[in-house]
Amino acid sequence: MLKFAYGHKSHSSDVRVPSYGDLTETFPPRTVMVAMDGSEDSRFAFHWYVQNIHRPGDRVVIVFAVEFHSEHDSRWLFSFTESVEEKVGGSLDKERARHLETVKKFSKLLENSKILGEVNAIVFKSPGEGIVQAANEIHASFIVTGTRGLGKVRRTILGSVSDYILRHAPMPVVVCRYVEKKGCEK
């Protein structure tokens, strides 16, 4: 698993947020998972979270579900010919480099937003399954994800990651559909 972190660990168990007058509200720290795939919709979901529900003290974990798009499928991984082995190895190295670049971009997104957090790249057969499992492992308070807005037929055939997360995650899920409006960048 690839991990990049940004920010400083908080030593207090509560975050105090100034309220009206002399009152102070105390919020327990939250771990927020933001599922991202590099699309504009997932970046919108991250910015929506930052602008609408982020609280000081939130620990943000961006999860990037890695999908390898190699021109060679897994049956070639067990081939005994050197030429196929070299092709597959080179192709997988290119995929790894591409994913590492994506993880670095997400880390920079946290840094630019001045948000305490980390980026985890996970490899799973189904991205939705991997995201739900990762959310359970980090004890996420809730999950934020975008939606690509697949049409009804494509969603029926391919399935939807956000739909899978909604149906299987044991914690609240916020699905952000990009809607162009002032004050919320994409």
Side-chain angles (χ1 to χ4, degrees):
M1 179 184 313
L2 297 170
K3 279 193 174 192
F4 288 83
Y6 171 77
H8 305 286
K9 301 255 183 210
S10 173
H11 297 289
S12 66
S13 60
D14 289 337
V15 175
R16 298 211 176 266
V17 178
S19 185
Y20 299 104
D22 294 313
L23 301 175
T24 302
E25 293 182 45
T26 302
F27 296 109
R30 304 183 298 186
T31 298
V32 179
M33 174 178 281
V34 181
M36 296 187 71
D37 62 3
S39 68
E40 287 293 315
D41 292 294
S42 69
R43 282 208 332 247
F44 171 78
F46 174 82
H47 288 295
W48 186 90
Y49 159 75
V50 170
Q51 294 172 3
N52 292 284
I53 55 180
H54 175 72
R55 293 194 305 221
D58 280 356
R59 172 181 167 243
V60 176
V61 178
I62 294 178
V63 172
F64 171 49
V66 175
E67 292 181 272
F68 283 93
H69 299 290
S70 173
E71 62 221 37
H72 305 284
D73 61 29
S74 60
R75 69 179 172 199
W76 297 111
L77 294 177
F78 301 102
S79 171
F80 295 105
T81 64
E82 257 184 62
S83 63
V84 171
E85 192 174 315
E86 287 172 9
K87 287 179 186 175
V88 171
S91 181
L92 289 176
D93 287 343
K94 287 178 189 173
E95 289 288 323
R96 281 189 199 99
R98 188 171 60 85
H99 294 313
L100 182 59
E101 230 9 78
T102 302
V103 168
K104 286 179 181 178
K105 285 179 189 175
F106 292 156
S107 184
K108 194 72 172 161
L109 192 61
L110 285 170
E111 184 180 347
N112 292 342
S113 300
K114 295 178 179 28
I115 290 181
L116 172 69
E118 64 189 56
V119 180
N120 295 333
I122 59 171
V123 180
F124 225 83
K125 184 177 178 182
S126 156
E129 224 178 295
I131 290 165
V132 170
Q133 182 176 327
N136 282 322
E137 289 173 6
I138 65 166
H139 306 290
S141 302
F142 60 92
I143 301 171
V144 177
T145 186
T147 178
R148 287 193 180 170
L150 295 177
K152 199 174 196 177
V153 173
R154 284 190 66 206
R155 187 173 53 245
T156 303
I157 295 169
L158 299 175
S160 161
V161 173
S162 57
D163 187 54
Y164 183 92
I165 296 168
L166 268 172
R167 294 181 187 280
H168 294 91
M171 66 281 299
V173 177
V174 178
V175 179
C176 299
R177 178 179 300 282
Y178 176 68
V179 177
E180 206 164 321
K181 73 176 194 178
K182 265 189 167 180
C184 204
E185 55 186 83
K186 185 173 182 181

